[in-house]
Amino acid sequence: MLNGKTALVTGGSRGIGRAICLELAKLGASIAFVYAGNEVKAAETLGMLTELGVSAKAYRCDVSDFAATEQLVKDVTVDFGGIDLLINNAGTTRDRLVMRMSESDFDDIIAVDLKGAFNLIRHTSAGLLRKRAGRIVNITSDAGLMGNAGQANYAAAKAGLVGLTKTVAKELGSRGITCNAVAPGFIRTDMTAVLNEQILQNAEQYIPLKRIGEPEDIAKVVAFLCSDDAAYITGQVIQVDGGLRM
């Protein structure tokens, strides 16, 4: 159980992020979640969390902004009394073949998907070190482990998250803080919703479990990594992809 813990979840208003918020809330955690700009989805998620009877608050923030994320962490700390669990889930894509990818296509994805995670870890680490306890979970991707045509920017950012995860695990481990990553495969989210159903059906043929994953499949693994049961697991990348990249 996560009673008495506060989780800060980026990209928490929909998809995998929403599922993570709800799963942690079911285990008793208070939830501070970050969204980029979709007020409607943020309000929906906040309503769901309120129905579960936990303390919850939504914060609008650009995770790529170093100063803004510093203020975010200060605000959450004041509002909730501290942060115990950090879930770096915020991410976006801008797919193009590398020969057609612009500088901004590359820089913007790195800024959100990789630098955003660094920003939040940087600003929460002092509080976690004082507590001598904490859990950090970064949401990477199969693309970061295997590469993916048309996603040089996204794959590079997600591969960077793997290196960031392992380094933070080594730096903070002596203070009882774990840092792990979860690598989703094909999951039904807004990102995969732009693909036509035939593409998804074709993908299923290559997945040993023969189905596209659901956001809850990721959320349950994140919840485990946040629990006391995962206290001796750190620096790991757990693939949750139905066996696609085994």
Side-chain angles (χ1 to χ4, degrees):
M1 299 299 288
L2 298 175
N3 293 313
K5 305 291 187 182
T6 294
L8 174 56
V9 183
T10 68
S13 65
R14 52 188 172 165
I16 290 173
R18 175 184 283 181
I20 291 170
C21 288
L22 295 174
E23 190 66 30
L24 297 180
K26 289 174 185 176
L27 295 174
S30 299
I31 307 295
F33 73 89
V34 180
Y35 68 102
N38 193 323
E39 300 278 357
V40 173
K41 292 295 183 181
E44 288 177 359
T45 301
L46 191 58
M48 293 175 183
L49 292 168
T50 301
E51 288 180 4
L52 290 174
V54 300
S55 296
K57 188 171 180 178
Y59 300 80
R60 184 170 182 170
C61 182
D62 175 1
V63 297
S64 71
D65 186 321
F66 188 83
T69 51
E70 183 176 25
Q71 186 60 52
L72 166 71
V73 170
K74 289 178 180 178
D75 292 343
V76 174
T77 300
V78 169
D79 292 341
F80 289 88
I83 297 167
D84 304 285
L85 318 170
L86 171 63
I87 317 301
N88 286 306
N89 169 71
T92 187
T93 57
R94 197 177 299 171
D95 297 351
R96 284 180 177 81
L97 293 174
V98 69
M99 68 182 69
R100 297 194 180 105
M101 188 172 288
S102 70
E103 182 179 18
S104 63
D105 288 335
F106 191 85
D107 288 351
D108 292 351
I109 299 306
I110 296 294
V112 173
D113 295 27
L114 178 56
K115 187 192 173 199
F118 160 75
N119 287 344
L120 270 298
I121 292 171
R122 169 66 174 78
H123 297 313
T124 59
S125 58
L128 296 178
L129 287 167
R130 283 193 294 271
K131 289 173 178 283
R132 299 185 72 88
R135 301 281 186 267
I136 300 170
V137 183
N138 298 318
I139 306 302
T140 179
S141 169
D142 270 359
L145 304 177
M146 307 293 293
N148 197 33
Q151 290 192 312
N153 48 5
Y154 182 74
K158 294 301 187 178
L161 269 181
V162 173
L164 179 64
T165 296
K166 292 178 179 292
T167 299
V168 171
K170 289 182 176 181
E171 290 187 5
L172 304 185
S174 64
R175 296 294 185 92
I177 301 162
T178 68
C179 184
N180 293 288
V182 176
F186 275 100
I187 306 295
R188 290 192 186 277
T189 66
D190 290 349
M191 283 187 184
T192 56
V194 300
L195 304 174
N196 66 52
E197 194 61 31
Q198 187 59 53
I199 291 175
L200 294 177
Q201 288 177 5
N202 290 342
E204 288 178 347
Q205 301 309 306
Y206 295 97
I207 299 172
L209 291 184
K210 299 302 180 187
R211 70 174 178 87
I212 302 298
E214 300 296 335
E216 291 74 19
D217 293 316
I218 307 303
K220 290 182 182 301
V221 176
V222 171
F224 167 69
L225 291 173
C226 287
S227 73
D228 290 341
D229 291 337
Y232 203 56
I233 300 172
T234 196
Q236 302 304 305
V237 181
I238 300 177
Q239 293 174 246
V240 185
D241 61 5
L244 177 63
R245 306 293 187 185
M246 74 169 71

